[in-house]
Each structure stands twice: as structure tokens, then as C-alpha cells.
Amino acid sequence: MPYITKQDSKNFELYYEDFGSGQPIILIHGWPLSGKSWELQVPVLLDLGYRVITYDRKGFGKSAPTSDGYDYDGLTADLHEIITQLDLKNVILFGFSMGGGEVVRYLTNYGSENVDKIALISSIIPLVKQEDDNPNGVPQEDLDGIMENLKTDRVTFLETFHKNFYNYGLLSQTVSQAQLNYDWSIASCASPIATIKCAESWANTDFRPELGNVNVKTLIVHGDNDQIVPIDTAGKQAAESIANNNFVIIEGAPHGLNVTHAEQLNATITFFLNGN
């Protein structure tokens, strides 16, 4: 199995999968899943002629956990390590949910010289938390509840979380029980430390000052029924502040629209990559 390692760190092992040839696209997964979450997008991108790379954020999937480095500077340094060691040029970066943070922070810390375009899908960008100047964000008490549940009964919390991920209920079975079981199996096996520290990062990082660094063509996709990262605090704000963007709202879509609305998302991605 392929891993990115560092000579100066025996604990650094990032698992990645690398398919196809052509211009490289790196797919950065959301919390608390792994690179497997892009399953319905990878074949489409390969058919379009791209080299497609997925990886597991450290502490998730098959990547080794560390005790620290889960802030966005640390996570983006990991992304940069992948780009550097694989000698990738003219990269396209796709970030889902939490992964949007790595995309924007990459442009902040490393610039856009080696980045062709980006996509922010159900992304946390620019800010999750409710603030006086961000009234549509998630209230602090709700975020505190997430952190408390992760620390006291993580595996039970994750079961409920993934139902909310897809807006799944008795009258709205938007995905199969097998899909819920699959997601739970991935998330529950992640490092508890990584799960908590990454949640702290996506909940508390304000990317609004960094949106001016996004100077490449950008696709923003968000569902208008996202119960995890509300569109008003994320997609709409990102579209208002990023200069060169295509903003696509998928009607009725939940946070996990890469599964529930895969056909619409894949068509949107294809249209974007084809230069439209």
C-alpha cells in the first residue's frame, strides 16, 4: 500500500491512492471519514482523463495518527508533503466539508503558482461558528455539545451524526442503512485524538481573512438543506467573497450530497472542469 512518509518522522504515514494519468486532482475528504468518501466521484474524474489522488487525513482511514498537528497549518503541511513528494504540477484541489479548509489554507501558505483551480463542496469555508458578525453560523452551545459527545461517547455520537449528514429519518431515508453502517465503520475506527482535534479545527477556524488569497477559478457547491454546515454561513458567504467562482446550489441536498445527489454533483464537476 502506498504511503507518504517523512525521513525525520517515524510516526508520519499518510495513506494515498493514485489512479490514472494526466492533470492531477487531489480529493480531500471531510470529517470524520476518509478518502473512501469520494467513491462516487473518482470514476467520473478518471473518465474525464485526470490523474486522481485521494488520501486519508492523518489519524483517519489508513493514515497513522500523531499527537498534534491537527490545526490547519499542520494539515495543510501534510497536503504540501503529498504534492511535493509526488512531484505534482498544475494541481486541482477539491475539498469536501472540512477539506475546504486545507484548500484555502494551502493558497494562503503556499500560494497559487502550482494550483490550476479548486472546488469547495459542502465546505466549511469560510466560518462554521455563530458570531455577532456571523449570525447564521452554528451556535457555540451546539459545537460544545459535539465536543462533549466526542469525548464521552464518540461511537454513539457518530451514529447519529451520519444520519444528520444525509438528513436521514424515518420519513426521509435518503441513503441505505448499509451506507450509514459503512460511514460509521470508517468514522468509528478513526483515532479519537484526531477526531476531536480536527473537530476543534473546523469548528473554530475563521477563514474570512484568507478568502482574498483564493485567486484561481473556483467551484462552490452547497446543498440548501445542509443541516451540518448551513449554506448561509458557508457556501453563500464564500461565493460573495471569492472573486472568480461558479456557485451551484443543489436544491434539497443535505451535507453528504456527494452520495445523495452524486449524479448532480458529478455533472456540475464535469461542467466546471470542461471550462464552462
Side-chain angles (χ1 to χ4, degrees):
M1 293 185 292
Y3 284 89
I4 297 292
T5 60
K6 288 182 182 178
Q7 289 185 348
D8 59 349
S9 175
K10 64 180 180 180
N11 297 323
F12 186 86
E13 289 186 334
L14 286 182
Y15 175 79
Y16 72 98
E17 296 184 354
D18 189 349
F19 301 103
S21 59
Q23 186 178 10
I25 297 181
I26 300 180
L27 305 178
I28 308 168
H29 67 83
W31 178 96
L33 295 170
S34 73
K36 291 183 180 296
S37 62
W38 292 103
E39 179 177 345
L40 299 180
Q41 284 67 57
V42 170
V44 174
L45 297 172
L46 289 173
D47 286 345
L48 290 173
Y50 290 92
R51 177 182 178 184
V52 183
I53 299 162
T54 64
Y55 73 97
D56 296 343
R57 189 178 286 110
K58 62 188 174 190
F60 296 85
K62 298 177 183 177
S63 292
T66 58
S67 59
D68 55 17
Y70 297 101
D71 64 312
Y72 271 106
D73 283 338
L75 295 173
T76 303
D78 297 345
L79 171 60
H80 186 62
E81 195 73 25
I82 292 171
I83 292 173
T84 300
Q85 290 200 28
L86 296 182
D87 194 28
L88 304 178
K89 307 298 183 186
N90 198 32
V91 180
I92 299 171
L93 299 176
F94 278 22
F96 180 87
S97 192
M98 179 181 183
E102 278 109 321
V103 172
V104 172
R105 184 59 57 87
Y106 189 89
L107 295 173
T108 296
N109 288 358
Y110 301 98
S112 60
E113 293 81 4
N114 195 32
V115 178
D116 180 31
K117 55 179 69 77
I118 67 170
L120 305 173
I121 301 169
S122 295
S123 170
I124 60 149
I125 298 298
L127 178 63
V128 173
K129 184 188 297 186
Q130 185 182 76
E131 304 277 9
D132 290 342
D133 59 353
N134 188 45
N136 295 311
V138 179
Q140 183 64 55
E141 57 265 30
D142 292 351
L143 295 173
D144 290 343
I146 291 173
M147 302 306 168
E148 180 64 22
N149 283 320
L150 288 174
K151 294 173 182 177
T152 58
D153 195 3
R154 181 179 61 93
V155 293
T156 302
F157 166 79
L158 291 172
E159 183 177 30
T160 300
F161 176 81
H162 284 289
K163 290 181 178 179
N164 295 333
F165 203 84
Y166 299 117
N167 295 356
Y168 179 95
L170 290 176
L171 301 179
S172 58
Q173 296 183 2
T174 52
V175 295
S176 66
Q177 184 61 48
Q179 179 69 51
L180 293 173
N181 295 345
Y182 181 59
D183 284 7
W184 181 86
S185 69
I186 295 170
S188 63
C189 289
S191 159
I193 292 174
T195 302
I196 293 168
K197 288 186 177 293
C198 282
E200 291 171 347
S201 292
W202 61 251
N204 295 310
T205 305
D206 185 350
F207 287 96
R208 289 177 295 183
E210 300 180 41
L211 294 185
N213 300 322
V214 182
N215 57 359
V216 298
K217 188 175 181 181
T218 301
L219 172 66
I220 300 169
V221 183
H222 220 98
D224 64 5
N225 198 22
D226 190 327
Q227 303 299 311
I228 301 294
V229 181
I231 191 172
D232 288 338
T233 191
K236 287 184 178 179
Q237 286 201 82
E240 291 168 358
S241 300
I242 293 174
N244 182 16
N245 78 80
N246 295 354
F247 181 32
V248 177
I249 299 172
I250 299 184
E251 184 177 353
H255 191 62
L257 55 78
N258 58 313
V259 175
T260 62
H261 292 68
E263 185 174 350
Q264 289 172 261
L265 174 61
N266 292 342
T268 298
I269 289 171
T270 299
F271 190 75
F272 173 71
L273 291 173
N274 285 339
N276 299 298

